[in-house]
Amino acid sequence: MSTDESTQQPAEEAPVHAPRRRYGAAALRGLTGLLVVGLAGGTAWAVDLLPVEEASGGAAQELSVVPSSVDVVCPGPAQLADPDASTDPAFDPTPVGTVTAFGGVVLTPATVGPAPVRLLDGATPDGVTVTPQGGHGVARGRVAGPVTLAASPAPDGTAALGGAVVSTTTAGDLRGLAGASCVTPSAGQWLLGGTTTRGASTRLVVQNPSRTAAVVDVELWGPGGRVEAAGPTTMTVPAGGQSARLLESVAPEQRLLAVKVVARGALVTSYLQVGALDGLRPTGVDLATATSPATRQVVSGVTTTGPGAGPRLDVLVPGP
């Protein structure tokens, strides 16, 4: 009986050089890392040794920026808060119109452009003429609304200009003469001279000659200190326009008022129109433009309040 012999193959031996390959790859990676570190260190060392060339160029120059235009803004004509409040012709509060005259001057070396006098919205008013007189520019005429006077400053930025308006009303609740100077727009102003006692009315007018709207915060001060307003004290003034508010609606029965105006978004001007009635008899209208608290003030045009009565001076100190 024959027996088939199975051929047994010897077991395949694991290659002995596989660990050596892994050790070689690790050694190669380590050598590459050392090479990179060495190159980086050598580059930094070489940069420190190389001379650094100083940047060449002209020295810094200081340039003064001269504004293209300097403006002053004038109060508008005196007007009632609600001219249509009365429908009885016998008690018409405005039986005649108000005539407002404007006058302005620009002194050399400042110069005036082709249209130095404009309305708040940028339009040219009718009836205002600008003529050169002795090297100066003089503007005068009648206006129907608030106007601005502009001048181009000298190369050093200086500009001397000014203006004023006078409103005249011969009959009605606004009967009287009211005048005020034109002022330069700013972000903060103080107005002194308002009153909201019985028979009196104070109208705050904020003007915005710029081309962006402004938000105005109003603070009120009276003889007893800071006045807590009885209504909103924030006003929005449109670009090229004005907004008004009756102060007796937010601070009634104040014998004397000082108003602080703080604007955001644009520079503004402001003024107070103060009027009073003795029963049905008007006692006059005043305009008060912006001023600044100071240790010295000049008060002009002081008159007595009646036969045998002396003038009265009130001093307001808004801060400590």
Side-chain angles (χ1 to χ4, degrees):
M1 184 170 89
S2 61
T3 303
D4 296 336
E5 295 181 359
S6 60
T7 305
Q8 296 182 358
Q9 298 292 337
E12 186 177 354
E13 297 181 357
V16 296
H17 55 275
R20 296 177 182 176
R21 291 179 180 176
R22 289 195 295 269
Y23 297 152
L28 181 60
R29 287 194 297 270
L31 181 61
T32 304
L34 291 176
L35 181 60
V36 172
V37 174
L39 288 176
T43 302
W45 174 74
V47 169
D48 292 338
L49 292 181
L50 291 176
V52 179
E53 183 179 357
E54 296 182 359
S56 60
Q61 297 181 355
E62 294 184 1
L63 299 177
S64 58
V65 179
V66 178
S68 59
S69 177
V70 178
D71 301 61
V72 292
V73 184
C74 309
Q79 64 182 46
L80 294 177
D82 188 5
D84 301 326
S86 176
T87 58
D88 189 347
F91 296 97
D92 187 0
T94 56
V96 298
T98 298
V99 178
T100 301
F102 161 76
V105 61
V106 177
L107 304 179
T108 55
T111 58
V112 295
V117 181
R118 293 185 177 274
L119 299 175
L120 278 179
D121 58 4
T124 302
D126 298 329
V128 177
T129 59
V130 182
T131 56
Q133 293 185 4
H136 310 317
V138 178
R140 59 168 59 93
R142 292 186 177 182
V143 294
V147 297
T148 65
L149 174 64
S152 299
D156 60 355
T158 59
L161 72 161
V165 292
V166 176
S167 293
T168 305
T169 311
T170 58
D173 290 354
L174 296 176
R175 182 168 64 88
L177 182 69
S181 300
C182 310
V183 296
T184 303
S186 63
Q189 298 144 24
W190 281 92
L191 304 167
L192 305 177
T195 180
T196 58
T197 55
R198 184 181 300 273
S201 175
T202 298
R203 183 170 176 261
L204 170 64
V205 182
V206 183
Q207 303 163 310
N208 181 10
S210 69
R211 296 298 168 256
T212 58
V215 178
V216 173
D217 297 319
V218 179
E219 296 180 8
L220 303 173
W221 301 75
R226 177 76 176 270
V227 177
E228 294 297 332
T233 56
T234 300
M235 304 170 59
T236 300
V237 188
Q242 65 180 26
S243 298
R245 177 160 299 173
L246 291 176
L247 297 186
E248 56 263 31
S249 65
V250 294
E253 296 302 323
Q254 295 293 325
R255 180 177 52 82
L256 192 64
L257 268 180
V259 182
K260 182 180 180 182
V261 175
V262 179
R264 294 173 281 127
L267 302 181
V268 300
T269 59
S270 57
Y271 66 94
L272 298 178
Q273 177 188 304
V274 185
L277 293 174
D278 183 7
L280 297 178
R281 182 176 64 89
T283 59
V285 177
D286 291 324
L287 298 177
T289 53
T291 185
S292 299
T295 57
R296 182 176 183 268
Q297 298 282 0
V298 177
V299 181
S300 58
V302 178
T303 60
T304 60
T305 58
R312 174 174 178 165
L313 176 65
D314 291 281
V315 179
L316 291 176
V317 183

